[in-house]
Amino acid sequence: MKKSGLFFFLCLCSAITFAQKARVKGVILDEFQNPIEQVTIKGLEKVVFTNANGFYAIEIPAQQKVMLVFSHPSFKNSTITLELKPNEDYELNPVLSSKIEQMGELVITSDSKKRIEGVTSIDPVTIRLIPGANAGVENIIKTLPGVYSNNELSTSYAVRGGNYDENLVYVNEIEVYRPFLIRSGQQEGLSFTNTHMVENVDFSAGGFQSKYGDKLSSVLDITYRNPKRFRTGLEASLLGGSITAEGVSKNQKWSNITGVRYRDNSLLVNSQETQTNFKPTFFDVQTLLNFNASTQWNFSFLGNISQNNYNYQPLSRQTNFGTISEPIALLVYYEGQEKDKYSTYFGAGKAVYQYNNSNKLKFIASAYHTQEQEYYDILAQYRLGEVDANIGSESFGDVVYSRGIGSQLTHARNDLDALIVNAEVKGFHEISKKSQVEWGAKFTLEDIRDRIVEWEAIDSAGFSLPNPILDYQNDQPYNPYVGPLAPYQNVRATNFTRINRLSGYFQWNKRGKIGAHNYWLNAGVRGHQWQVNAYGRPQGKSQVTFSPRVQFAFKPEWEKDILFRLSGGLYHQPPFYRELRDYDGVVQTNVKAQQSFHLVFSSDYSFEMWARPFKLVSEAYYKNITDVNTYTIDNVRIRYRANNEATAYAYGFDARINGEFVPGTESWFTFGYLKTEENQNNKGFIARPTDQRLKFGILFQDYMPNIPNLKLYLNLVYNTGLPGGSPSYADPYNYQLRLNDYKRADVGFSFVFKDEKLTSNLSWLKPFEEFSLGLEIFNLFNNQNAITNTWVRDVYTKSQYGIPNYMTTRVFSLKLIARL
């Protein structure tokens, strides 16, 4: 009995002891309502940390006063004393105020870290508001210095002399891909990035760190939002619409944000010179699911399904060119149609293990699957003639004399099925408050099956033009043609390609002082090994590259707030699938990685003007590029020669001033100068296809002082003309004419009924956090901008005319934004 009583007493004491516990949980935010990771929460002898979503949970003794201390290096400490009941769950969501951590006079905050690294951050709200024919992240990126594009229907962009394939894009640290077969910007539809799910956008135009992948030009690093409560949003316009919903579970462990988008480019494409029956549908669904298993483990899943159907039936076209004294027109009548389909499926899982405040591991796995088809049969019958320029003439503006007539029949049956799988591990270790180490290792499998069947037959004045490679002349009707009958162009190939890749990086960060001045150093190296196996082709050899990179930032002890940066190193681009495929469509298994030496010097000057903050960033850069894989650009399709037979260089200067030109709104003005040339087989230097010398960009926001609800958004870009390309099989050294300058202004007017700053007394607006209605005008000044040239022959003079393919004209659209 004594033993039984003792056992019962011990059990009762244990139960009482267990019951004397309480639990505190919540999400820690900063002043801008963003979650803060790695906040230390200390209560008596218990210590926990917040995860990537700012969530924490800590047990404390019940029925006694316990002081909780919330601390983080970049924020002021916060303390609170609680006395909770046994088994009570108490929700506490503190907001920490910004703190400046000083090491000497060097200011280290989250924003200053990006400043030191040379990263440009863009406000997601600005991205959603600024108008553009293809509004979104890329629309804003194109206004930044060093970024060039002359195709408003495309999300593609070139950076400092590179091409569209030389830019890295990450979403939540996961690399994303674009469809392979897209030839025209009007086929793209939707960017991968859903702007309504975005929280942070960081962009680097060169000299970036080793932790980013193996591309030559730029990095776009996007982070999606982790929801903190339930919200929904709707956006609708004449170009399509989107719905976004987000929420978090009651225990704060689960959160999800999902976006659905639909787009129809008919409004824009129907404004072009080519009259068409156009039925495009672009649709996608994206979701981000987060699970906070504990204060140490966080799991997330990012998924995307995209369906792009492009049905195109051209009818007719008239393009006027030439001079005022000698106007010429091209008239084209079409038969046939094009049916393209791009279906992509993407899924990625990510696990973050926070061992303690100084050590973190990340495990990432992703799979990207795309099925694409490109089918078309289009007969174009053209007439090239002189236009009656006599004012008052009955035939004024009509073609009165034909210089050439002919037809062009194009055919394609292209299919592609690609699967790309990635597995990656990353580590972060804080050695001290002044020194950190980061590393990563990644395996990639690319399995691509591709069939390309393209041919083109050209008829001039009733006589077929032979393939130039056959070296036969057709002088009919003066001399009979005795050569073989062959299409002018003929590309046929079937490729089953498998590429295995191993890559990794190691980098070291350190900050310190030189006398009274402060510095920050990042030094690292990337390694990449790959091997190409193509069915029916010789096995490719194993290739390895090493890319050392260094960034050095120096902040002198001056009265003015100015920071200097010097960065450089080697950047390699091991060939992706399109870079392996030559002009004949055949995969070349031993194409080498293009190599570029970067040297970037920049200054970052923060100052006040009109008692408001401003910043001026200036950068001078130089690139020396070897083993260049030369290419041609047709709209947005790049065709590589897969030969590594050229060298190239690029140099230039970029500047951007941004700040509150209008109180409470951010605007910026940018300028860029670029020169890039290549030398093919030691024939001499000529302009590269992306040699766009001058660039001016303006992004401006304003509102009426007396009517603050009425706001204006202006997006203006001016680029000097790109090289106009050359006809098929022609020597590019003989065709160095340029397109006209690219000039475009998109403007938006919005009446905001309610948002974070503006309130409304209207009862029907009470459920809404934001509600606005706007008018957008694309290509405000109705400029004629050309993307490429169509090459047409004059049968009499044997001349070839480069006839510009013009983009969209002025277009009006309405836009509705509503958020609950």
Side-chain angles (χ1 to χ4, degrees), residues 746-765:
D746 298 325
V747 65
F749 302 92
S750 178
F751 189 87
V752 179
F753 293 87
K754 184 179 180 181
D755 64 6
E756 293 180 354
K757 299 179 181 179
L758 299 172
T759 60
S760 175
N761 295 323
L762 297 175
S763 59
W764 63 274
L765 285 174

Side-chain angles (χ1 to χ4, degrees), residues 491-505:
V491 179
R492 294 175 180 266
T494 300
N495 302 299
F496 292 170
T497 309
R498 189 182 183 95
I499 308 173
N500 294 315
R501 302 182 188 271
L502 285 173
S503 61
Y505 69 90

